[in-house]
Amino acid sequence: MTRELKFEQPSFAKRLKGMLGVDFYRLFHTPLFYIFLAIAAIIPAMVSAMTMMEGPDGSAATPLYSNVWQIIASSRSLYVIESIADYANMNMVFIFGGIMVSIFIGHDYKSGYVKQLFTTHAKKQDYMMSKSLVSAFAMACMCVTYLLGGTVGGLLVGYETDVNVGSLIIAIVGKMIMSLGWASLYTFLNIIFRRYFGISIASSFFFGTGILIIGAAAVVESLSLPTSFLNIFLYGASVNASLSSNIVTLLICIAVSLAWTVIYNLLGTKILSKCDVY
């Protein structure tokens, strides 16, 4: 009498936990992660310092900001950029983060890790979810170092510190929540351009700058239409997290980030399932 051996398939939670363990290990053991954490801290500090430097004629430069926290978020929601100061805030993290995700995933394909992974681990959705979550964590950490660098830089040059603490906290938390949506978008883009490393980085940079939403906002504003509906876009919700934020702002960030996460994980999984991933 023969006995049949039955092997239970691991549950989704166990599979994801295992893949997250590998991805977090790789993240914490690569210099890339720490380099981008440092970049996220140095950039806002440099922006603050440069605005206080003297010009060629000895005159003081005109400061970009008047308040420390404007380095973190704009004073109000602005979909059309009126000056560089409106853009030079924590939203820059999503540009750095996009480049980091491109390099991180690009290494998976270049090193042959993906080929080995999908030979033994057939669930493409697990790969998408793991990469999105780990990349979101990395960008959230970059938000923290950006906050530290921006705050220290602003205090050193003597900016004012008056702020609505509740709105500031919501703005910071809202942008960190948006990291999940951004990470999902970048993971999806890098799945599409997996064989073209240069294009994947360029596409991440392009979307990270928010050029599309800025262009759309310019058109909407020229037609004298309200821009509030632009909150459905990832960058629009990121911009909405400002120093005038309230609880509704936070809910918008959560809803948009989760929606984009679901959409791009489903699309990325479908592409991986139907195309050659090697």
Side-chain angles (χ1 to χ4, degrees), residues 71-118:
I71 305 171
I72 309 304
S74 59
S75 298
R76 56 190 177 87
S77 301
L78 293 171
Y79 296 98
V80 178
I81 304 302
E82 297 175 356
S83 69
I84 188 61
D86 299 330
Y87 190 81
N89 55 48
M90 194 178 282
N91 289 334
M92 289 192 292
V93 164
F94 303 129
I95 301 177
F96 313 146
I99 297 173
M100 190 206 72
V101 174
S102 294
I103 298 173
F104 192 47
I105 295 180
H107 183 263
D108 283 357
Y109 286 90
K110 186 177 180 180
S111 66
Y113 170 73
V114 167
K115 184 175 182 179
Q116 178 185 4
L117 175 68
F118 286 116

Short mmCIF file of all heavy atoms in Angstrom, two decimals, residues 71-118:
data_model
loop_
_atom_site.label_atom_id
_atom_site.label_comp_id
_atom_site.label_asym_id
_atom_site.label_seq_id
_atom_site.Cartn_x
_atom_site.Cartn_y
_atom_site.Cartn_z
N ILE A 71 10.29 74.25 4.33
CA ILE A 71 11.20 73.32 3.68
C ILE A 71 10.58 71.92 3.66
O ILE A 71 10.89 71.10 2.80
CB ILE A 71 12.55 73.27 4.44
CG1 ILE A 71 13.13 74.67 4.56
CG2 ILE A 71 13.54 72.33 3.76
CD1 ILE A 71 14.34 74.75 5.46
N ILE A 72 9.68 71.67 4.59
CA ILE A 72 9.03 70.37 4.70
C ILE A 72 7.80 70.29 3.80
O ILE A 72 7.59 69.30 3.10
CB ILE A 72 8.62 70.09 6.16
CG1 ILE A 72 9.80 70.31 7.10
CG2 ILE A 72 8.06 68.68 6.30
CD1 ILE A 72 11.04 69.50 6.78
N ALA A 73 6.98 71.32 3.83
CA ALA A 73 5.75 71.34 3.02
C ALA A 73 5.41 72.78 2.68
O ALA A 73 5.78 73.71 3.41
CB ALA A 73 4.61 70.68 3.78
N SER A 74 4.71 72.97 1.58
CA SER A 74 4.30 74.32 1.18
C SER A 74 3.25 74.85 2.15
O SER A 74 2.58 74.08 2.85
CB SER A 74 3.74 74.31 -0.25
OG SER A 74 2.63 73.44 -0.34
N SER A 75 3.11 76.16 2.18
CA SER A 75 2.16 76.78 3.11
C SER A 75 0.73 76.40 2.80
O SER A 75 -0.11 76.32 3.69
CB SER A 75 2.32 78.30 3.07
OG SER A 75 3.62 78.67 3.47
N ARG A 76 0.44 76.14 1.54
CA ARG A 76 -0.90 75.75 1.13
C ARG A 76 -0.79 74.81 -0.07
O ARG A 76 0.28 74.68 -0.67
CB ARG A 76 -1.75 76.98 0.76
CG ARG A 76 -1.15 77.85 -0.30
CD ARG A 76 -1.89 79.18 -0.46
NE ARG A 76 -1.27 80.06 -1.44
CZ ARG A 76 -1.53 80.04 -2.73
NH1 ARG A 76 -2.44 79.19 -3.21
NH2 ARG A 76 -0.93 80.87 -3.56
N SER A 77 -1.89 74.19 -0.42
CA SER A 77 -1.89 73.26 -1.55
C SER A 77 -1.73 74.02 -2.85
O SER A 77 -2.55 74.90 -3.17
CB SER A 77 -3.20 72.46 -1.57
OG SER A 77 -3.36 71.74 -0.37
N LEU A 78 -0.67 73.72 -3.59
CA LEU A 78 -0.41 74.39 -4.86
C LEU A 78 -0.17 73.35 -5.94
O LEU A 78 0.79 72.58 -5.87
CB LEU A 78 0.82 75.30 -4.74
CG LEU A 78 0.71 76.52 -3.83
CD1 LEU A 78 2.08 77.17 -3.66
CD2 LEU A 78 -0.27 77.52 -4.41
N TYR A 79 -1.05 73.31 -6.93
CA TYR A 79 -0.88 72.37 -8.02
C TYR A 79 -0.09 72.98 -9.17
O TYR A 79 0.52 72.26 -9.96
CB TYR A 79 -2.24 71.89 -8.53
CG TYR A 79 -3.00 71.12 -7.48
CD1 TYR A 79 -3.98 71.74 -6.71
CD2 TYR A 79 -2.70 69.80 -7.23
CE1 TYR A 79 -4.66 71.04 -5.73
CE2 TYR A 79 -3.37 69.08 -6.25
CZ TYR A 79 -4.36 69.72 -5.50
OH TYR A 79 -5.02 69.03 -4.52
N VAL A 80 -0.09 74.29 -9.26
CA VAL A 80 0.72 74.99 -10.24
C VAL A 80 1.85 75.65 -9.48
O VAL A 80 1.61 76.47 -8.59
CB VAL A 80 -0.09 76.04 -11.02
CG1 VAL A 80 0.81 76.78 -12.00
CG2 VAL A 80 -1.24 75.38 -11.76
N ILE A 81 3.09 75.30 -9.79
CA ILE A 81 4.24 75.80 -9.06
C ILE A 81 4.46 77.27 -9.39
O ILE A 81 4.64 77.64 -10.56
CB ILE A 81 5.50 74.99 -9.39
CG1 ILE A 81 5.27 73.52 -9.11
CG2 ILE A 81 6.69 75.50 -8.61
CD1 ILE A 81 4.87 73.22 -7.68
N GLU A 82 4.44 78.12 -8.39
CA GLU A 82 4.63 79.55 -8.58
C GLU A 82 6.09 79.96 -8.43
O GLU A 82 6.54 80.95 -8.98
CB GLU A 82 3.76 80.32 -7.59
CG GLU A 82 2.26 80.07 -7.79
CD GLU A 82 1.41 80.74 -6.73
OE1 GLU A 82 1.99 81.36 -5.80
OE2 GLU A 82 0.17 80.67 -6.83
N SER A 83 6.86 79.20 -7.65
CA SER A 83 8.29 79.46 -7.48
C SER A 83 8.96 78.16 -7.08
O SER A 83 8.30 77.20 -6.69
CB SER A 83 8.53 80.53 -6.41
OG SER A 83 8.20 80.04 -5.12
N ILE A 84 10.30 78.14 -7.14
CA ILE A 84 11.04 76.93 -6.79
C ILE A 84 10.80 76.55 -5.34
O ILE A 84 10.86 75.37 -4.97
CB ILE A 84 12.54 77.14 -7.06
CG1 ILE A 84 13.31 75.82 -6.88
CG2 ILE A 84 13.11 78.22 -6.15
CD1 ILE A 84 12.88 74.72 -7.80
N ALA A 85 10.51 77.53 -4.50
CA ALA A 85 10.27 77.25 -3.08
C ALA A 85 9.03 76.39 -2.90
O ALA A 85 8.94 75.62 -1.93
CB ALA A 85 10.11 78.56 -2.31
N ASP A 86 8.06 76.50 -3.81
CA ASP A 86 6.84 75.69 -3.72
C ASP A 86 7.15 74.21 -3.97
O ASP A 86 6.42 73.32 -3.53
CB ASP A 86 5.80 76.15 -4.74
CG ASP A 86 5.37 77.59 -4.52
OD1 ASP A 86 5.39 78.03 -3.35
OD2 ASP A 86 5.02 78.27 -5.49
N TYR A 87 8.23 73.95 -4.68
CA TYR A 87 8.56 72.59 -5.08
C TYR A 87 9.65 71.98 -4.19
O TYR A 87 9.68 70.77 -3.97
CB TYR A 87 9.04 72.58 -6.53
CG TYR A 87 9.17 71.19 -7.10
CD1 TYR A 87 8.05 70.53 -7.58
CD2 TYR A 87 10.40 70.54 -7.14
CE1 TYR A 87 8.15 69.24 -8.09
CE2 TYR A 87 10.51 69.26 -7.64
CZ TYR A 87 9.38 68.62 -8.12
OH TYR A 87 9.48 67.35 -8.61
N ALA A 88 10.54 72.84 -3.71
CA ALA A 88 11.69 72.35 -2.93
C ALA A 88 11.27 72.03 -1.50
O ALA A 88 11.61 72.74 -0.56
CB ALA A 88 12.81 73.38 -2.95
N ASN A 89 10.52 70.97 -1.35
CA ASN A 89 10.13 70.51 -0.01
C ASN A 89 10.20 68.99 0.01
O ASN A 89 10.86 68.39 -0.84
CB ASN A 89 8.75 71.05 0.39
CG ASN A 89 7.67 70.70 -0.63
OD1 ASN A 89 7.55 69.56 -1.06
ND2 ASN A 89 6.87 71.70 -1.01
N MET A 90 9.53 68.36 0.95
CA MET A 90 9.65 66.91 1.12
C MET A 90 9.21 66.13 -0.11
O MET A 90 9.54 64.94 -0.25
CB MET A 90 8.87 66.46 2.36
CG MET A 90 9.18 65.06 2.83
SD MET A 90 8.28 64.57 4.32
CE MET A 90 9.26 65.42 5.58
N ASN A 91 8.50 66.74 -1.02
CA ASN A 91 8.11 66.04 -2.24
C ASN A 91 9.32 65.60 -3.05
O ASN A 91 9.23 64.70 -3.89
CB ASN A 91 7.21 66.93 -3.11
CG ASN A 91 5.83 67.10 -2.51
OD1 ASN A 91 5.36 66.26 -1.76
ND2 ASN A 91 5.17 68.20 -2.83
N MET A 92 10.48 66.26 -2.82
CA MET A 92 11.69 65.86 -3.54
C MET A 92 12.10 64.43 -3.19
O MET A 92 12.80 63.76 -3.96
CB MET A 92 12.83 66.82 -3.23
CG MET A 92 12.67 68.19 -3.84
SD MET A 92 14.20 69.18 -3.76
CE MET A 92 14.33 69.45 -1.98
N VAL A 93 11.68 63.96 -2.02
CA VAL A 93 12.00 62.59 -1.61
C VAL A 93 11.47 61.59 -2.63
O VAL A 93 12.09 60.55 -2.89
CB VAL A 93 11.41 62.29 -0.21
CG1 VAL A 93 11.39 60.78 0.07
CG2 VAL A 93 12.20 63.00 0.86
N PHE A 94 10.33 61.91 -3.25
CA PHE A 94 9.73 60.97 -4.20
C PHE A 94 10.53 60.90 -5.50
O PHE A 94 10.39 59.93 -6.26
CB PHE A 94 8.28 61.37 -4.48
CG PHE A 94 7.44 61.42 -3.22
CD1 PHE A 94 6.67 62.53 -2.91
CD2 PHE A 94 7.47 60.37 -2.32
CE1 PHE A 94 5.92 62.58 -1.75
CE2 PHE A 94 6.73 60.40 -1.16
CZ PHE A 94 5.95 61.52 -0.86
N ILE A 95 11.36 61.90 -5.76
CA ILE A 95 12.28 61.82 -6.91
C ILE A 95 13.45 60.92 -6.55
O ILE A 95 13.79 60.00 -7.28
CB ILE A 95 12.78 63.22 -7.31
CG1 ILE A 95 11.62 64.13 -7.68
CG2 ILE A 95 13.76 63.11 -8.48
CD1 ILE A 95 12.03 65.55 -8.01
N PHE A 96 14.08 61.19 -5.39
CA PHE A 96 15.19 60.34 -4.94
C PHE A 96 14.73 58.90 -4.81
O PHE A 96 15.44 57.96 -5.21
CB PHE A 96 15.74 60.81 -3.58
CG PHE A 96 15.98 62.29 -3.47
CD1 PHE A 96 15.79 62.95 -2.27
CD2 PHE A 96 16.42 63.03 -4.56
CE1 PHE A 96 16.02 64.31 -2.15
CE2 PHE A 96 16.65 64.39 -4.45
CZ PHE A 96 16.44 65.03 -3.24
N GLY A 97 13.54 58.73 -4.22
CA GLY A 97 13.03 57.39 -4.00
C GLY A 97 12.82 56.63 -5.29
O GLY A 97 13.08 55.42 -5.35
N GLY A 98 12.33 57.32 -6.32
CA GLY A 98 12.11 56.67 -7.61
C GLY A 98 13.40 56.14 -8.21
O GLY A 98 13.46 55.03 -8.76
N ILE A 99 14.46 56.94 -8.11
CA ILE A 99 15.77 56.53 -8.64
C ILE A 99 16.29 55.33 -7.84
O ILE A 99 16.83 54.37 -8.42
CB ILE A 99 16.77 57.70 -8.57
CG1 ILE A 99 16.28 58.84 -9.47
CG2 ILE A 99 18.16 57.24 -8.99
CD1 ILE A 99 17.10 60.11 -9.35
N MET A 100 16.11 55.36 -6.52
CA MET A 100 16.58 54.26 -5.68
C MET A 100 15.84 52.96 -6.03
O MET A 100 16.45 51.89 -6.12
CB MET A 100 16.36 54.58 -4.21
CG MET A 100 17.04 53.61 -3.26
SD MET A 100 16.27 53.49 -1.64
CE MET A 100 14.76 52.59 -2.06
N VAL A 101 14.52 53.04 -6.22
CA VAL A 101 13.73 51.85 -6.58
C VAL A 101 14.20 51.28 -7.92
O VAL A 101 14.31 50.06 -8.09
CB VAL A 101 12.23 52.19 -6.63
CG1 VAL A 101 11.43 50.99 -7.14
CG2 VAL A 101 11.73 52.59 -5.24
N SER A 102 14.49 52.17 -8.88
CA SER A 102 14.96 51.71 -10.19
C SER A 102 16.27 50.94 -10.07
O SER A 102 16.44 49.89 -10.69
CB SER A 102 15.15 52.92 -11.13
OG SER A 102 13.93 53.54 -11.42
N ILE A 103 17.18 51.47 -9.26
CA ILE A 103 18.46 50.78 -9.08
C ILE A 103 18.26 49.47 -8.34
O ILE A 103 18.86 48.43 -8.68
CB ILE A 103 19.45 51.69 -8.31
CG1 ILE A 103 19.72 52.98 -9.11
CG2 ILE A 103 20.75 50.96 -8.02
CD1 ILE A 103 20.56 54.00 -8.37
N PHE A 104 17.41 49.48 -7.33
CA PHE A 104 17.16 48.30 -6.51
C PHE A 104 16.58 47.17 -7.34
O PHE A 104 17.05 46.02 -7.29
CB PHE A 104 16.21 48.68 -5.37
CG PHE A 104 16.08 47.66 -4.28
CD1 PHE A 104 17.20 47.07 -3.72
CD2 PHE A 104 14.83 47.29 -3.80
CE1 PHE A 104 17.08 46.13 -2.69
CE2 PHE A 104 14.70 46.35 -2.78
CZ PHE A 104 15.83 45.77 -2.23
N ILE A 105 15.55 47.47 -8.13
CA ILE A 105 14.91 46.44 -8.95
C ILE A 105 15.80 46.08 -10.14
O ILE A 105 15.88 44.92 -10.55
CB ILE A 105 13.52 46.91 -9.43
CG1 ILE A 105 12.59 47.08 -8.22
CG2 ILE A 105 12.93 45.92 -10.43
CD1 ILE A 105 11.20 47.54 -8.57
N GLY A 106 16.48 47.09 -10.70
CA GLY A 106 17.38 46.83 -11.81
C GLY A 106 18.45 45.82 -11.44
O GLY A 106 18.84 44.96 -12.25
N HIS A 107 18.93 45.88 -10.21
CA HIS A 107 19.93 44.92 -9.74
C HIS A 107 19.36 43.51 -9.67
O HIS A 107 20.09 42.53 -9.88
CB HIS A 107 20.46 45.36 -8.37
CG HIS A 107 21.55 44.47 -7.85
ND1 HIS A 107 21.33 43.44 -6.95
CD2 HIS A 107 22.89 44.46 -8.10
CE1 HIS A 107 22.47 42.83 -6.68
NE2 HIS A 107 23.43 43.43 -7.36
N ASP A 108 18.06 43.40 -9.38
CA ASP A 108 17.42 42.07 -9.36
C ASP A 108 17.58 41.36 -10.69
O ASP A 108 17.84 40.16 -10.75
CB ASP A 108 15.93 42.21 -9.03
CG ASP A 108 15.68 42.48 -7.56
OD1 ASP A 108 16.65 42.50 -6.77
OD2 ASP A 108 14.51 42.69 -7.19
N TYR A 109 17.38 42.12 -11.78
CA TYR A 109 17.45 41.53 -13.10
C TYR A 109 18.88 41.35 -13.57
O TYR A 109 19.23 40.37 -14.21
CB TYR A 109 16.66 42.40 -14.09
CG TYR A 109 15.17 42.26 -13.93
CD1 TYR A 109 14.46 43.08 -13.06
CD2 TYR A 109 14.47 41.28 -14.63
CE1 TYR A 109 13.10 42.93 -12.89
CE2 TYR A 109 13.10 41.12 -14.48
CZ TYR A 109 12.42 41.96 -13.59
OH TYR A 109 11.07 41.80 -13.42
N LYS A 110 19.72 42.32 -13.26
CA LYS A 110 21.11 42.26 -13.69
C LYS A 110 21.86 41.13 -13.00
O LYS A 110 22.71 40.46 -13.62
CB LYS A 110 21.80 43.60 -13.40
CG LYS A 110 23.23 43.69 -13.94
CD LYS A 110 23.82 45.07 -13.69
CE LYS A 110 25.24 45.16 -14.22
NZ LYS A 110 25.84 46.49 -13.97
N SER A 111 21.56 40.89 -11.73
CA SER A 111 22.27 39.86 -10.96
C SER A 111 21.73 38.46 -11.19
O SER A 111 22.35 37.48 -10.77
CB SER A 111 22.18 40.19 -9.46
OG SER A 111 20.82 40.10 -9.01
N GLY A 112 20.59 38.35 -11.84
CA GLY A 112 19.98 37.05 -12.06
C GLY A 112 19.10 36.60 -10.90
O GLY A 112 18.59 35.47 -10.90
N TYR A 113 18.90 37.49 -9.92
CA TYR A 113 18.08 37.16 -8.75
C TYR A 113 16.65 36.82 -9.15
O TYR A 113 16.05 35.87 -8.63
CB TYR A 113 18.10 38.32 -7.76
CG TYR A 113 17.09 38.19 -6.63
CD1 TYR A 113 17.28 37.27 -5.60
CD2 TYR A 113 15.95 38.99 -6.60
CE1 TYR A 113 16.36 37.15 -4.56
CE2 TYR A 113 15.02 38.88 -5.56
CZ TYR A 113 15.23 37.96 -4.56
OH TYR A 113 14.31 37.85 -3.54
N VAL A 114 16.11 37.58 -10.11
CA VAL A 114 14.73 37.36 -10.54
C VAL A 114 14.57 35.99 -11.19
O VAL A 114 13.59 35.28 -10.95
CB VAL A 114 14.28 38.48 -11.50
CG1 VAL A 114 12.97 38.11 -12.19
CG2 VAL A 114 14.11 39.78 -10.75
N LYS A 115 15.55 35.61 -12.01
CA LYS A 115 15.47 34.31 -12.67
C LYS A 115 15.46 33.19 -11.64
O LYS A 115 14.67 32.25 -11.73
CB LYS A 115 16.66 34.14 -13.61
CG LYS A 115 16.61 32.84 -14.42
CD LYS A 115 17.74 32.78 -15.42
CE LYS A 115 17.67 31.51 -16.25
NZ LYS A 115 18.76 31.45 -17.26
N GLN A 116 16.32 33.31 -10.65
CA GLN A 116 16.36 32.30 -9.58
C GLN A 116 15.07 32.32 -8.77
O GLN A 116 14.53 31.27 -8.42
CB GLN A 116 17.55 32.57 -8.68
CG GLN A 116 17.66 31.62 -7.51
CD GLN A 116 18.79 32.00 -6.56
OE1 GLN A 116 19.44 33.01 -6.75
NE2 GLN A 116 19.01 31.17 -5.55
N LEU A 117 14.57 33.52 -8.49
CA LEU A 117 13.37 33.67 -7.67
C LEU A 117 12.16 33.02 -8.33
O LEU A 117 11.44 32.24 -7.70
CB LEU A 117 13.10 35.16 -7.41
CG LEU A 117 11.81 35.49 -6.66
CD1 LEU A 117 11.91 34.99 -5.23
CD2 LEU A 117 11.55 36.99 -6.70
N PHE A 118 11.93 33.34 -9.59
CA PHE A 118 10.73 32.84 -10.25
C PHE A 118 10.85 31.38 -10.68
O PHE A 118 9.88 30.78 -11.14
CB PHE A 118 10.36 33.73 -11.43
CG PHE A 118 9.77 35.05 -11.01
CD1 PHE A 118 10.43 36.23 -11.30
CD2 PHE A 118 8.60 35.11 -10.30
CE1 PHE A 118 9.91 37.44 -10.89
CE2 PHE A 118 8.06 36.33 -9.90
CZ PHE A 118 8.72 37.50 -10.20
#
